[in-house]
Amino acid sequence: MRKIYATFLILAVYSQCGYTQSKINPDYIRAKMQWFADAKLGIFIHWGIYSLGNYSESWSFHNKGVSYADYMKQLEGFTAARYEPQAWAKLIHESGARYAVMTTKHHDGVALWDTKQKHYSVVKNTPAKRDLLTPFYKALEKYGIKKGAYFSLLDWSYPDYPAFTKDSIRYTIADDPERWKRFLKFDSAQMAEINQLVKPDLWWFDGDWEHSAEEWNAVGIRQELLNANPSVVINGRLTGFGDYDTPEQNFPVSRPDFHWWELCMTTNDNWGYRKTDSAWKTPYEVITIFADAISNGGNLLLDIGPRADGTIPEEQVHILKELGKWDNKYAKAIFNTIGGLPQGHFYGATTLSKDSASLYLFVPARTQGNIMVKGLKNQIKQVIELGTGQELLHKVVGKISWSPVPGLVYIYVPAGVQDEYMTVLEVKLDGPLQLYRGQGGLK
Ligand code: GLC
């Protein structure tokens, strides 16, 4: 797992970048990250020539599952003929997501915009023949959705990039440092083009693992992006010189210790569209995973893989719409909240309002009956089911008058208030949350 030591690292980076005091200020970083922390849900889009659906994105030729020539033949079939960027943005909006991250260029090097560099693009090399990024990001703006640009630092197709397939390299940096410098120049020219074209709010790097931070000039890249947009958010796959961490497909069990994090996850088993992949996650699974992420103070970046013609598989549309129905219904407990109770207090996901005077309990699987919360020192003013507004009964069990240990709170979830997926309760407290974390007894 790629780990970043958020605040410490960021401060180190900012000082290396020669940033002024005001910008080194942790308040500045926190302010810059606020929209991201509040957003909770993003939609990831993997779209490229691999979206014909026969081979996995880039890796298939790198790992020699298909020859490079056959992989690149897909250029001829990438039509984007039924691409409706407005409809994509509308669907993303409906899902409740506050940001979207699109693959501007994957490891195969094919740009989805009209790159001025001498390299592949869907404009020059495919029947799509047009810039696919601009209309999409424009549509996102219309819905107030933040714009994220996925960009693969490594480029297995570029003649000046050292690695090609898993067992063949073109050269090593030690042998030809000038050639590597040419690659870096090319890569940053492409980043500058994207900055100009779509002004991303977030850069989502990938493919950093083949080189060190020094080789990539990670500090320099970060500085260039901040020069273009001082409040831009950068993911951690810039050899750690980003703002947040990105556990991929792997669900944290204990709460991650980095400050900002985002779980990126596929809706089936692939990032890009695959004809043969029917391992769809159900809306219930996606919703419970999402609740778990926000409970632990993170975001979910949920991936979709449109087909080469621009249509989105029905199963993904279904997942996004169901997710949207649910997170719009329970928006108050999801967006603009903070991570919930530490483990041990409630057997399920929780979040808190920013003033921590409201505790939200996520109750899965159409639970009916008594649920329990431990270690709550506060008095409860009221418990309601958020979807229906119905007030629920609760009682405190086993409070010993002379002991500082709080009693157990039992909340009765009656029949009829259950959400199809996950019911959410608001526990209104008498003030900011106060927890008992002891071991019982007299302590
Ligand atoms: C990995 C893969 C890549 C995918 C990405 C998404 O790093 O290299 O194919 O796009 O994860 O998180």
Side-chain angles (χ1 to χ4, degrees):
M1 170 163 351
R2 304 159 173 95
K3 204 164 173 151
I4 61 169
Y5 303 92
T7 309
F8 169 76
L9 179 68
I10 288 162
L11 292 181
V13 172
Y14 277 89
S15 41
Q16 282 193 55
C17 294
Y19 254 60
T20 59
Q21 258 327 86
S22 68
K23 286 185 176 165
I24 295 173
N25 185 340
D27 290 344
Y28 160 75
I29 299 165
R30 233 169 266 128
K32 159 182 130 144
M33 293 304 289
Q34 197 56 55
W35 74 259
F36 180 81
D38 290 342
K40 309 298 180 193
L41 181 66
I43 299 297
F44 210 174
I45 302 170
H46 274 70
W47 200 32
I49 61 169
Y50 46 82
S51 305
L52 262 67
N54 299 317
Y55 317 115
S56 68
E57 77 287 347
S58 311
W59 287 100
S60 49
F61 78 81
H62 180 76
N63 288 333
K64 301 175 111 178
V66 56
S67 71
Y68 184 62
D70 282 345
Y71 182 89
M72 294 312 277
K73 259 200 204 117
Q74 298 181 110
L75 285 165
E76 293 160 24
F78 187 78
T79 64
R82 297 169 68 195
Y83 175 39
E84 288 182 55
Q86 290 293 333
W88 283 21
K90 184 165 178 279
L91 177 65
I92 292 168
H93 174 69
E94 252 182 278
S95 79
R98 305 313 202 230
Y99 63 107
V101 179
M102 164 101 132
T103 46
T104 62
K105 179 179 92 162
H106 205 263
H107 314 327
D108 60 15
V110 182
L112 260 64
W113 77 100
D114 191 9
T115 181
K116 300 293 172 269
Q117 311 309 307
K118 224 178 123 228
H119 200 32
Y120 293 111
S121 81
V122 295
V123 185
K124 291 193 192 73
N125 307 102
T126 76
K129 279 200 170 74
R130 62 196 191 282
D131 165 19
L132 300 173
L133 296 185
T134 309
F136 175 62
Y137 286 107
K138 281 228 165 83
L140 290 182
E141 274 173 9
K142 222 177 85 187
Y143 285 98
I145 298 168
K146 296 276 187 191
K147 301 172 293 184
Y150 169 107
F151 183 83
S152 173
L153 287 165
L154 69 78
D155 187 329
W156 290 323
S157 281
Y158 197 72
D160 284 328
Y161 187 75
F164 178 41
T165 61
K166 62 176 176 183
D167 50 15
S168 65
I169 56 162
R170 300 182 176 97
Y171 71 105
T172 65
I173 300 181
D175 287 346
D176 198 344
E178 287 311 309
R179 196 168 170 191
W180 174 246
K181 274 193 200 139
R182 281 207 296 279
F183 174 74
L184 288 185
K185 222 174 127 197
F186 152 78
D187 235 16
S188 62
Q190 284 206 321
M191 288 178 229
E193 289 181 3
I194 294 169
N195 260 335
Q196 261 234 312
L197 201 64
V198 299
K199 299 185 181 51
D201 302 296
L202 184 156
W203 276 87
W204 211 100
F205 286 111
D206 196 17
D208 59 351
W209 59 83
E210 287 188 351
H211 298 282
S212 67
E214 292 70 34
E215 286 169 346
W216 286 121
N217 183 24
V219 172
I221 292 177
R222 184 182 171 91
Q223 182 62 66
E224 272 184 33
L225 301 181
L226 288 170
N227 287 346
N229 173 5
S231 58
V232 78
V233 172
I234 302 169
N235 79 334
R237 298 190 185 182
L238 183 58
T239 48
F241 282 80
D243 300 313
Y244 70 90
D245 204 12
T246 59
E248 173 178 326
Q249 303 276 38
N250 292 302
F251 317 102
V253 173
S254 57
R255 188 173 292 198
D257 53 10
F258 23 81
H259 203 87
W260 295 285
W261 67 275
E262 168 201 73
L263 170 70
C264 54
M265 185 183 82
T266 52
T267 33
N268 51 2
D269 286 342
N270 280 275
W271 296 104
Y273 172 65
R274 292 297 299 277
K275 287 176 188 158
T276 51
D277 186 349
S278 57
W280 300 108
K281 296 183 179 76
T282 64
Y284 176 75
E285 288 156 2
V286 170
I287 285 168
T288 50
I289 292 166
F290 178 33
D292 189 59
I294 60 176
S295 178
N296 284 307
N299 288 4
L300 175 68
L301 183 64
L302 182 67
D303 181 69
I304 57 170
R307 300 186 188 91
D309 67 358
T311 55
I312 300 174
E314 304 63 51
E315 292 86 350
Q316 290 179 333
V317 173
H318 177 67
I319 292 171
L320 263 54
K321 286 193 170 169
E322 290 302 288
L323 174 60
K325 265 200 310 207
W326 178 80
D327 64 30
N328 279 308
K329 175 175 172 184
Y330 292 119
K332 191 179 176 194
I334 298 168
F335 305 104
N336 308 306
T337 60
I338 53 177
L341 303 177
Q343 286 175 8
H345 293 271
F346 176 67
Y347 293 108
T350 61
T351 58
L352 287 159
S353 58
K354 282 186 182 158
D355 63 3
S356 82
S358 278
L359 166 66
Y360 302 104
L361 305 177
F362 292 73
V363 186
R366 300 186 198 183
T367 299
Q368 189 193 324
N370 275 304
I371 58 167
M372 189 258 276
V373 182
K374 263 199 268 184
L376 202 57
K377 283 193 191 167
N378 303 71
Q379 298 293 313
I380 292 176
K381 290 204 297 203
Q382 193 188 29
V383 182
I384 58 168
E385 194 283 322
L386 264 186
T388 54
Q390 189 171 323
E391 182 160 1
L392 306 190
L393 298 173
H394 72 275
K395 66 173 188 171
V396 177
V397 173
K399 172 71 188 127
I400 309 298
S401 61
W402 44 263
S403 163
V405 182
L408 305 173
V409 177
Y410 280 86
I411 299 169
Y412 185 68
V413 186
V417 299
Q418 283 76 15
D419 181 80
E420 186 181 348
Y421 299 116
M422 242 187 164
T423 312
V424 186
L425 313 183
E426 177 175 10
V427 181
K428 296 183 182 170
L429 308 174
D430 60 350
L433 176 77
Q434 284 187 293
L435 289 177
Y436 166 76
R437 303 275 300 147
Q439 294 173 15
L442 295 179
K443 289 172 270 175

